[in-house]
Amino acid sequence: MDWGRLLGDFLSRDASPLVQFVKYALAGGIATATHVLIFFLIGFFLFPCVNKDDILVRLFRLKAPEVDEARRSRHAVYSNVCAFFVSNTTCYVINRLFVFQPGRHSMLVEFILFCAVSAVSMAIGTTVMGELIKRVKMQTTYAFGANLV
C-alpha cells in the first residue's frame, strides 16, 4: 500500500464525499475538544464557574472556590463565549486548509459567515447552560454537557 498516495488523496480537496465528511467530522472533533479544554481552563482560572461539588473537581481532586449560582452561571457564560471564539477559529482554519473549497467570498467574509452560523447554536446552548446552572442549580460540568449537545 502506498501510504504517501493515500495521505495525499485524504488531504486533497477533491476527495470523495465520504472522505470529505470524515475530514469535516475530524475538524469538528478537534474543535469540540478545543472548546472543552478552553472552557474549563478559563472556568478554573479566569472566571471561576465550578464549585467543590462539581464532578470534575471531585474526579481530579481539584480545589475550587465557592461560587453562588448566579455568579457561576454568569462566569460559565463568559467562559463559553471565550471558548467559542477559540474553538470556532480552530474549526474554521482546519476546514479551510483541508475541507472547504475556496469560494466566491474573501477569507474574511467566509470566516464571518462561518462564525455567524455557529453563533446561533452557541447562543442557544449558552443560554440553556446558564439557566440550568442558575435556576436548576445544576453542576457546571453537566450544564456544559447540555450546552454541547
Side-chain angles (χ1 to χ4, degrees):
M1 181 172 276
D2 183 5
W3 291 102
R5 182 171 168 261
L6 187 64
L7 180 63
D9 289 344
F10 184 78
L11 295 177
S12 168
R13 288 192 169 122
D14 296 324
S16 72
L18 176 62
V19 171
Q20 290 291 80
F21 177 77
V22 168
K23 291 190 309 184
Y24 187 75
L26 284 171
I30 291 168
T32 301
T34 301
H35 190 101
V36 170
L37 178 66
I38 298 300
F39 174 84
F40 282 107
L41 285 173
I42 292 172
F44 272 98
F45 298 111
L46 188 57
F47 299 116
C49 65
V50 294
N51 58 24
K52 63 181 170 93
D53 296 328
D54 195 276
I55 190 162
L56 285 181
V57 172
R58 291 190 329 232
L59 183 66
F60 293 111
R61 296 185 175 124
L62 301 169
K63 291 186 179 188
E66 277 302 314
V67 182
D68 63 73
E69 273 71 27
R71 190 170 178 209
R72 195 163 54 91
S73 173
R74 191 171 54 254
H75 283 186
V77 168
Y78 298 161
S79 298
N80 200 51
V81 169
C82 293
F84 167 78
F85 285 110
V86 174
S87 65
N88 210 51
T89 301
T90 300
C91 192
Y92 174 76
V93 168
I94 292 170
N95 278 305
R96 179 109 163 84
L97 291 172
F98 300 110
V99 181
F100 297 156
Q101 290 284 350
R104 57 187 163 197
H105 304 294
S106 70
M107 191 166 43
L108 179 62
V109 171
E110 277 181 355
F111 180 68
I112 290 169
L113 292 172
F114 187 83
C115 287
V117 170
S118 301
V120 172
S121 64
M122 187 274 299
I124 293 167
T126 301
T127 301
V128 168
M129 177 186 65
E131 292 300 311
L132 287 172
I133 292 170
K134 187 167 47 178
R135 300 197 190 281
V136 182
K137 300 183 183 352
M138 185 178 282
Q139 290 181 12
T140 302
T141 299
Y142 294 138
F144 180 68
N147 164 56
L148 289 179
V149 171

